């Protein structure tokens, strides 16, 4: 009568010498019969029959027909530790290596990685190098065999709170690309188990946007300014300065009489551009001063250019494509590529009032 378990070719050894590894991978069953599965701390053996290795909260068990035959500290299958409630099964032949009380399961006889890997130190790491562009942090944990530790909970604290738990290498993202400026606290925690100690790691990431401004015939202003700056043709109002100071709405006077109310769009860069196309066409206190063309340029992951006011029917082109037919005063063109945008105002009334504004941004992440 066939017993519940079938055990063949038990190889007992200490320290997992290379000879034992070579032997176990070449064994084949020559007989069957009832036998007990060894509850050893260092051994290797092969099972033939309907066996399952089941992981529990604090131990792993070799089972057959619902009966526990031996217990071990933890079980690895396919190179990964099993989570509580998971099983390892094979089609009929199961190879097992027991190292320091931990059982490693293979269905094809491939031995576990031995030697230097056993003594490796468990580790938990955070890689924030992609955070400035993607808003994501890469989390990895090693159990000392080069595999992942289970489970790891990661969190990002800042403008948004994100928490994620996973049992493999994974990304955790805030869902905004690129991330808003500010400080972000990133943490990963592994609670530990019977084989591995608890681990935690944390980093603080500071996100900043640095803008390089250039061009010709323009003046950059940090607030509302109604003054006449002719022969300077273009007034650029830095709206980002308002939003960085906590304002959600700004009133910008472009001349002594007229103003524009603008609201925060949540952009990384934000500018209001007011152009005067003629040096002598408007009096210093006139309502039309710096009012010929008024545009807003902002960047929130891509470039936007919005025409707020334009009375002279100027031609408008975007990246070389005319989107508004030519007029009798001049033209406005925007070209952009990657992290750089360029706006060129051209006057047919007074060529001395041609103006260009170029902004190039750079996202800077540093660990605090």
């Amino acid at each position: 009568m066939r017993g519940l378990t079938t055990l063949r070719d038990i190889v007992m050894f200490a320290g997992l010498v290379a000879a034992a590894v070579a032997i176990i991978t070449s064994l084949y069953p020559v007989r069957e019969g009832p036998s007990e599965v060894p509850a050893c701390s260092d051994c290797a053996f092969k099972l033939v029959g309907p066996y399952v290795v089941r992981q529990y909260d604090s131990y792993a068990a070799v089972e057959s027909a619902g009966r526990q035959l031996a217990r071990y500290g933890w079980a690895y299958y396919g190179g990964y530790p099993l989570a509580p409630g998971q099983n390892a099964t094979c089609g009929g032949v199961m190879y097992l290596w027991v190292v320091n009380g931990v059982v490693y399961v293979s269905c094809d006889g491939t031995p576990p990685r031995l030697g230097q890997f056993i003594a490796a130190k468990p580790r938990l790491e955070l890689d924030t190098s992609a955070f400035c562009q993607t808003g994501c942090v890469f989390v990895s944990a090693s159990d000392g065999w080069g595999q992942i530790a289970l489970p790891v909970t990661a969190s990002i604290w800042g403008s948004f709170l994100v928490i994620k738990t996973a049992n493999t290498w994974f990304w955790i993202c805030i869902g905004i690309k690129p991330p808003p400026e500010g400080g972000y606290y990133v943490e990963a925690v592994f609670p530990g188990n019977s084989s591995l100690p608890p681990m935690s790691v944390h980093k603080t990431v500071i996100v900043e946007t640095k803008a390089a401004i250039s061009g010709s015939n323009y003046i950059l202003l940090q607030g509302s300014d109604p003054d006449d700056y002719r022969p300077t043709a273009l007034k650029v109002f830095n709206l980002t300065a308002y939003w960085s100071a906590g304002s959600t709405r700004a009133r910008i006077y472009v001349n002594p009489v007229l103003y524009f109310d603008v609201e925060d769009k949540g952009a990384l860069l934000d500018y209001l551009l007011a152009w005067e196309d003629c040096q002598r066409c408007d009096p210093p206190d006139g309502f039309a001063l710096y009012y010929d063309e008024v545009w807003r340029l902002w960047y929130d992951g891509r470039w936007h250019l919005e025409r707020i006011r334009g009375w002279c029917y100027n031609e408008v082109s975007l990246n070389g494509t005319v989107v508004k037919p030519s007029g009798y005063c001049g033209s406005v063109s925007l070209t952009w590529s990657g992290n750089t945008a360029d706006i060129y105002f051209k006057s047919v009334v007074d060529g001395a009032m041609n103006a260009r504004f170029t902004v190039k941004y750079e996202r800077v992440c540093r660990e605090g």
Side-chain angles (χ1 to χ4, degrees), residues 30 47 163 179 185 201 249 256 282 363:
V30 296
L47 298 175
I163 300 176
Y185 180 80
V201 62
R249 189 173 186 178
D282 301 307
R363 297 286 284 167

Side-chain angles (χ1 to χ4, degrees), residues 55-61 71-76 81-84 99-103 122 143 150-151 190-198:
Q55 181 65 55
Y56 293 89
D57 288 336
S58 59
Y59 68 92
R71 289 187 179 185
Y72 306 95
W74 207 266
Y76 278 63
L82 297 179
V99 184
N100 294 327
V102 177
V103 62
D143 61 5
L150 306 173
F190 171 64
N193 55 34
S194 60
S195 301
L196 298 173

Side-chain angles (χ1 to χ4, degrees), residues 103-316:
V103 62
Y104 296 82
V105 181
S106 170
C107 293
D108 60 5
T110 301
R113 287 180 288 183
L114 308 173
Q116 60 181 340
F117 296 101
I118 298 176
K121 183 179 179 180
R123 58 184 175 81
L124 184 60
E125 296 180 330
L126 296 172
D127 185 348
T128 63
S129 59
F131 189 74
C132 256
Q133 290 72 38
T134 65
C136 297
V137 175
F138 184 69
V139 184
S140 63
S142 171
D143 61 5
W145 287 70
Q147 308 300 337
I148 200 72
L150 306 173
V152 174
T153 298
S155 57
I156 300 177
W157 302 75
S159 304
F160 304 86
L161 170 61
V162 182
I163 300 176
K164 181 178 180 180
T165 300
N167 59 0
T168 185
W169 298 271
F170 63 93
W171 291 93
I172 179 171
C173 307
I174 66 171
I176 297 180
K177 175 183 173 182
E181 288 188 312
Y184 297 84
Y185 180 80
V186 187
E187 182 181 56
V189 176
F190 171 64
N193 55 34
S194 60
S195 301
L196 298 173
M199 295 182 288
S200 64
V201 62
H202 61 85
K203 292 184 177 182
T204 299
V205 182
I206 309 298
V207 180
E208 299 174 327
T209 301
K210 295 184 178 181
I213 305 300
S214 62
S216 61
N217 210 7
Y218 78 96
I219 183 172
L220 181 65
L221 303 168
Q222 299 298 322
S224 179
D225 193 329
D227 291 345
D228 181 2
Y229 287 95
R230 290 178 295 180
T232 301
L234 182 64
K235 296 169 73 171
V236 179
F237 300 90
N238 184 12
L239 300 178
T240 310
Y242 281 87
W243 318 142
S244 298
S247 300
T248 59
R249 189 173 186 178
R251 174 164 289 184
I252 305 297
Y253 277 88
V254 297
N255 60 45
V257 179
L258 300 173
Y259 62 84
F260 294 94
D261 287 328
V262 291
E263 296 185 353
D264 184 8
K265 294 180 178 289
L268 297 173
L269 303 172
D270 203 349
Y271 302 96
L272 187 74
L273 296 86
W275 182 47
E276 174 67 20
D277 71 352
C278 180
Q279 292 188 65
R280 301 178 179 84
C281 296
D282 301 307
D285 58 351
F287 73 91
L289 190 65
Y290 292 100
Y291 201 60
D292 299 315
E293 290 283 340
V294 181
W295 292 77
R296 188 175 182 180
L297 172 72
W298 73 94
Y299 179 83
D300 60 3
R302 65 186 184 94
W303 293 104
H304 303 265
L305 184 64
E306 177 186 9
R307 190 183 195 187
I308 297 178
R309 203 270 181 192
W311 70 274
C312 206
Y313 304 104
N314 291 303
E315 177 184 283
V316 178

Side-chain angles (χ1 to χ4, degrees), residues 329-347:
C329 290
S331 63
V332 181
S333 63
L334 167 69
T335 56
W336 68 91
S337 176
N339 62 348
T340 303
D342 178 85
I343 301 178
Y344 182 60
F345 296 88
K346 182 179 180 180
S347 173

Side-chain angles (χ1 to χ4, degrees), residues 20-78:
V21 175
I23 291 172
I24 193 66
T25 58
S26 63
L27 295 179
Y28 291 90
V30 296
R31 72 178 187 273
E32 296 182 356
S35 180
E36 292 299 322
V37 175
C40 56
S41 61
D42 291 283
C43 63
F45 53 92
K46 180 171 68 175
L47 298 175
V48 178
Y51 291 91
V52 59
V53 176
R54 190 183 311 275
Q55 181 65 55
Y56 293 89
D57 288 336
S58 59
Y59 68 92
V62 177
E63 300 180 357
S64 179
R67 185 164 70 95
Q68 290 190 5
L69 307 176
R71 289 187 179 185
Y72 306 95
W74 207 266
Y76 278 63
Y77 179 55

